[in-house]
Amino acid sequence: MTIEVSLRHRFDEFLLDASFRAGEGVTALFGPSGSGKTTIVNALAGLLRPDHGRIVVDGETLLDTNAGIFVSARHRRTGYVFQDGRLFPHLTVRQNLLFGARRAGERPSLSRLDEVVALLGLQSLEARKPRNLSGGEKSRVALARALLAGPRLLLLDEPLAALDAKRKSEIIPYLERLRDSVRLPMIYVTHSAEEMSRLAENLIVLHNGKIAASGSLFDLSSDPALGSLVPTHGAVFPATVQEHRTDGLTALAFDGGVILVPQLGRPLMSKLRVRLAADDIILAREAPITISANNVLSVQVAAGHTETEAHADVRLRCGGVNLVARITRASFHRLCLTEGEGIYAIVKSVAVDPQTGPLMNGTE
């Protein structure tokens, strides 16, 4: 499924002028407050009629201001999850879910209901009313209700913004499970670098109402040219659990080789994401011998480094994965690095985001 969006809309002194395409999986609309993210999802949902624009979802034109086409919100088959969940306070969790299922236009399927309840871990909550739910539980119920409405597109407008760090850490694994199992196109609005790096597959960066960058999260997260617009300060890439070693380490295979982390409680062949911070990579012209770091990667210097008075961000290519190393400007000039040159990246620390459990750090 493909989503095509082209919008131009003015609010007083603010002008949104954005065009992009998205497909299956999670596309993050990322940027600071006031950059136009919510305006875009409201236009997609049919809650806003823009001054000018065109929206096409799965070949169906939902909006074309030139042709006078505007499909109403109730006929767009979009699921919308707001920051506050917006559950019906007088209904139980199960009744809220059945309301969502009835929106699909058919008699509610109890097997489908049970499937979504299991997916989002709501089995013990069905008899409760919203006032007896935590913030994270309300968010999961709102997600389930939106899914049961049978949407072809799911819109999530900062669904974790009202939660504290503990509640966020509880619900992110459910969002990861949803992303990996349902494969609906999802537009996820956020200004959180952590949510973006853990959940998104594609990224659209908004700044002052315009698109500053768009593409694969795995490419953009390691592009130092984007600076503060994508503040991951490193690389994010997918990996697979290859082996649990007897020395207390787990080997993760990625499109560049193998990287070692402290042993994970994850089954073999399960997928996860790895983050390498730019500050945690040391560069060497020769392969180091007898050092404490477990990970020394053979890399090539890529084009597009950036320099400040204090440091240089060096782009690297490791197989099919882009990395970035932040070293001092003096070190950069002392190494005399040239594009295409083969060098070594010594990784001091690795961050892994499992679907369950806390973030796990450290590889030395």
Side-chain angles (χ1 to χ4, degrees), residues 230-354:
V230 185
T232 56
H233 301 303
V236 182
F237 55 88
T240 303
V241 177
Q242 181 185 73
E243 179 189 7
H244 296 301
R245 301 182 2 166
T246 57
D247 58 4
L249 298 175
T250 292
L252 306 178
F254 70 104
D255 190 8
V258 172
I259 199 160
L260 300 174
V261 299
Q263 194 158 93
L264 302 177
R266 294 290 300 273
L268 296 179
M269 302 309 295
S270 59
K271 299 184 184 305
L272 41 74
R273 291 189 180 188
V274 172
R275 293 189 298 192
L276 298 186
D279 290 330
D280 284 333
I281 294 180
I282 298 172
L283 301 182
R285 281 193 166 279
E286 298 179 359
I289 300 173
T290 316
I291 61 173
S292 62
N294 289 312
N295 294 297
V296 178
L297 304 175
S298 179
V299 299
Q300 282 189 317
V301 178
H305 79 273
T306 61
E307 290 185 61
T308 68
E309 289 186 5
H311 68 262
D313 286 341
V314 184
R315 297 190 73 183
L316 307 167
R317 190 74 179 167
C318 183
V321 168
N322 294 318
L323 306 178
V324 60
R326 174 165 289 180
I327 60 177
T328 65
R329 191 164 174 262
S331 296
F332 177 74
H333 289 288
R334 185 172 64 251
L335 288 169
C336 297
L337 301 175
T338 58
E339 182 182 345
E341 181 179 7
I343 60 172
Y344 296 90
I346 303 164
V347 182
K348 296 189 294 180
S349 181
V350 182
V352 179
D353 292 329

Side-chain angles (χ1 to χ4, degrees), residues 5 17-20 29 40 203-207 209-214:
V5 177
D17 190 356
S19 299
F20 64 89
L29 293 182
I40 290 174
L203 181 61
I204 296 167
V205 182
L206 283 161
H207 184 64
K210 298 185 181 298
I211 292 178
S214 65

